[in-house]
Amino acid sequence: MEEKSDLNSLLCRPIGIIHTPFKELENMPIQPSGAAGIPGTVELFPEFADGLKDLDGFSHLILLYHFHESCGYRLTVTPFLDSRPRGLFATRAPKRPNPIGLSTVRLIRIRGCSLDIENVDILDGTPLLDIKPYVPEFDHQEDCRIGWLEQVRGMVKVKKSDDRFRREE
Amino acid sequence: MEEKSDLNSLLCRPIGIIHTPFKELENMPIQPSGAAGIPGTVELFPEFADGLKDLDGFSHLILLYHFHESCGYRLTVTPFLDSRPRGLFATRAPKRPNPIGLSTVRLIRIRGCSLDIENVDILDGTPLLDIKPYVPEFDHQEDCRIGWLEQVRGMVKVKKSDDRFRREE
């Protein structure tokens, strides 16, 4: 048992960089559903290229990435979609104990180590941590309750970010 | 700009531990859809308790966790559901450059820092990295193609894991 991974930490290193039209944290779509059609590119580092085999059969990808412009966190936050503070884990806010972002995007094509994607709500230059295929049988849930978001359903598509999650805060 | 986060790494620390009936890597369900009704408990560390506010309004949670029994990776792997090697990023295999797991589970109830969950395909003792609310408007995709998985659709519910992703491999 002495050989087990360190349970106390996981050191993640980027496997690529995500390029998008969003150069600033302000005025971005706040989720992929508000970013319909917005294009981006994942540049996977060449040493991981062999891992892309078979990925072109999938229409959607789950990207995990480092919210690299976020720093620190608070356990209650006022989300973009609300005026009341909410528990951090009931939000998708970027300032988290482990600042890992998750977005499901559409895969358009793969050219070498470049993945053209759409529906991108991610800051330009974001370090990519993982690519997983989106599989409805694994990832889609029926009969969902969405708590405080129920009241603001529909606003996601139009609401843009502001600077409340700036690193400097 | 000197104050930016280190773009070259992200050190993740557990925010809790996931308890499940699965004590061994063998013979586990390989996705939540094969784990319908299987109960588990998330024990969030008490210092994060305030972040759970408002979470009880959500029926489903996305858990990010450390595949702590995985070590190393190969860029092509033979998945549980297939007999042919596939590109790693076209699979959900646990041995990844950044071994972060993702499962969407049903939230049953919250008792203090304990979250009773269902549809659990996770190894007992797994370090939790993040909890995000599952929101269909963010996370659900229509008209999906699922590549090599198309041929094995339906097997996910019955297929169990074996020992191919043991740490010692």
Side-chain angles (χ1 to χ4, degrees):
Chain A
M1 299 298 275
E2 300 77 50
E3 275 192 305
K4 268 195 181 174
S5 291
D6 181 2
L7 279 175
N8 295 318
S9 65
L10 167 64
L11 185 67
C12 293
R13 294 188 184 282
I15 60 170
I17 299 292
I18 306 170
H19 295 290
T20 81
F22 305 110
K23 313 294 181 196
E24 303 285 341
L25 281 179
E26 292 83 5
N27 212 31
M28 285 175 53
I30 57 172
Q31 284 291 333
S33 55
I38 291 181
T41 307
V42 173
E43 294 287 349
L44 194 73
F45 297 149
E47 61 263 39
F48 300 108
D50 288 349
L52 293 177
K53 186 172 169 288
D54 303 300
L55 192 64
D56 56 359
F58 292 83
S59 59
H60 293 79
L61 310 178
I62 299 173
L63 303 181
L64 298 183
Y65 49 88
H66 178 190
F67 281 126
H68 64 299
E69 290 283 349
S70 290
C71 183
Y73 64 91
R74 294 171 188 162
L75 289 171
T76 56
V77 298
T78 302
F80 292 129
L81 290 167
D82 205 355
S83 55
R84 276 191 288 180
R86 303 292 181 178
L88 175 63
F89 300 121
T91 80
R92 302 285 279 256
K95 290 190 172 191
R96 316 181 74 83
N98 294 304
I100 302 172
L102 182 169
S103 293
T104 304
V105 299
R106 180 180 286 274
L107 175 63
I108 305 299
R109 78 181 66 76
I110 301 178
R111 299 169 291 124
C113 287
S114 296
L115 285 68
D116 292 337
I117 56 175
E118 266 187 12
N119 310 348
V120 176
D121 66 332
I122 303 168
L123 191 68
D124 187 47
T126 290
L128 176 71
L129 299 179
D130 201 7
I131 301 172
K132 298 182 195 288
Y134 177 87
V135 182
E137 191 165 357
F138 304 167
D139 300 306
H140 171 54
Q141 304 295 326
E142 303 273 358
D143 304 323
C144 296
R145 286 183 299 112
I146 57 168
W148 65 270
L149 272 164
E150 194 68 51
Q151 306 153 39
V152 293
R153 192 191 277 267
M155 282 177 58
V156 178
K157 287 195 168 58
V158 293
K159 187 81 178 175
K160 303 293 181 192
S161 66
D162 54 40
D163 66 353
R164 73 184 69 177
F165 295 115
R166 286 184 73 87
R167 191 186 177 292
E168 293 73 17
E169 189 186 353
Chain B
M1 299 298 275
E2 301 78 50
E3 275 192 305
K4 266 194 181 175
S5 291
D6 180 1
L7 277 176
N8 295 317
S9 65
L10 167 64
L11 185 66
C12 293
R13 294 187 184 282
I15 60 170
I17 300 292
I18 306 171
H19 294 290
T20 80
F22 304 112
K23 313 296 181 194
E24 303 285 342
L25 282 178
E26 293 84 3
N27 211 32
M28 285 175 53
I30 57 172
Q31 285 291 334
S33 55
I38 290 179
T41 307
V42 172
E43 293 288 349
L44 194 73
F45 297 148
E47 62 263 40
F48 300 108
D50 287 350
L52 294 177
K53 185 172 169 288
D54 302 302
L55 192 64
D56 57 358
F58 292 84
S59 59
H60 293 79
L61 309 178
I62 298 174
L63 303 181
L64 299 183
Y65 49 88
H66 178 190
F67 281 126
H68 65 299
E69 290 282 350
S70 289
C71 183
Y73 63 91
R74 294 171 188 162
L75 289 171
T76 55
V77 297
T78 302
F80 292 130
L81 289 166
D82 205 354
S83 56
R84 277 191 288 179
R86 304 292 181 179
L88 175 63
F89 300 121
T91 79
R92 302 285 278 258
K95 290 190 171 190
R96 317 181 75 82
N98 295 303
I100 302 172
L102 181 169
S103 294
T104 304
V105 299
R106 179 181 286 276
L107 176 62
I108 305 298
R109 78 181 65 78
I110 301 178
R111 298 170 290 126
C113 287
S114 295
L115 286 67
D116 293 337
I117 56 176
E118 265 186 13
N119 309 348
V120 177
D121 66 332
I122 304 168
L123 191 68
D124 187 48
T126 290
L128 176 72
L129 299 179
D130 200 6
I131 301 172
K132 298 182 194 287
Y134 176 87
V135 182
E137 192 166 355
F138 304 167
D139 300 307
H140 172 54
Q141 305 295 326
E142 304 273 358
D143 304 324
C144 296
R145 285 183 300 111
I146 57 168
W148 66 270
L149 272 165
E150 194 68 51
Q151 306 154 39
V152 294
R153 193 191 275 268
M155 282 176 59
V156 179
K157 287 197 167 57
V158 293
K159 187 82 178 176
K160 302 294 180 191
S161 67
D162 54 39
D163 65 354
R164 73 184 69 177
F165 295 115
R166 287 183 73 87
R167 191 187 179 292
E168 293 72 16
E169 188 187 355

